[in-house]
Amino acid sequence: MIANMSESELERLSRMWEEHMRAPFPPHMRGREIEGENMVLLDAETAGCVVSSLSGPLEGKRREILLVCLAAIEKVLPSIDDDGASEYYKHLQDMAALAVELGNANAPVA
């Protein structure tokens, strides 16, 4: 268990991750780019960072990647024209935001 992380927030992220793993990837998003973002790669990079955050606070490089992914999701969401795919990426966005929030809560104080 991560020392300073709120149990309920960590449990929430873990539950969200389990939900994400059960959700099928929207098939029509394979091979698709929106706003210059490869949608499969965006999902994979974000998911990798979220999984890492379940083990402990993200180190600098992985945290930077997650912040870039979060910004990319925010950029593409308005352009996703399918409710199922939009829901899928909104859930991904919510997980990424919570992972960042948990990381910020556990960042060393300067």
Side-chain angles (χ1 to χ4, degrees), residues 10-87:
L10 184 59
E11 287 174 354
R12 182 172 156 225
L13 184 60
S14 181
R15 179 181 43 76
M16 291 173 78
W17 173 248
E18 289 172 14
E19 291 168 357
H20 185 73
M21 291 301 297
R22 284 192 303 269
F25 184 81
H28 58 283
M29 299 302 269
R30 285 187 179 89
R32 186 166 173 198
E33 282 195 14
I34 298 177
E35 301 288 330
E37 298 293 336
N38 178 304
M39 300 308 287
V40 171
L41 187 58
L42 181 57
D43 176 55
E45 286 182 333
T46 305
C49 292
V50 168
V51 167
S52 292
S53 74
L54 289 169
S55 300
L58 295 175
E59 43 81 22
K61 182 71 172 167
R62 187 152 315 255
R63 186 174 187 286
E64 287 176 32
I65 293 169
L66 185 56
L67 290 170
V68 167
C69 289
L70 189 54
I73 295 168
E74 290 171 1
K75 178 178 70 172
V76 301
L77 264 176
S79 299
I80 297 176
D81 54 2
D82 172 87
D83 287 342
S86 181
E87 247 180 62

Side-chain angles (χ1 to χ4, degrees), residues 83-102:
D83 287 342
S86 181
E87 247 180 62
Y88 182 90
Y89 280 94
K90 176 67 174 123
H91 189 265
L92 191 66
Q93 178 187 37
D94 292 344
M95 279 194 314
L98 182 55
V100 167
E101 184 180 313
L102 289 171

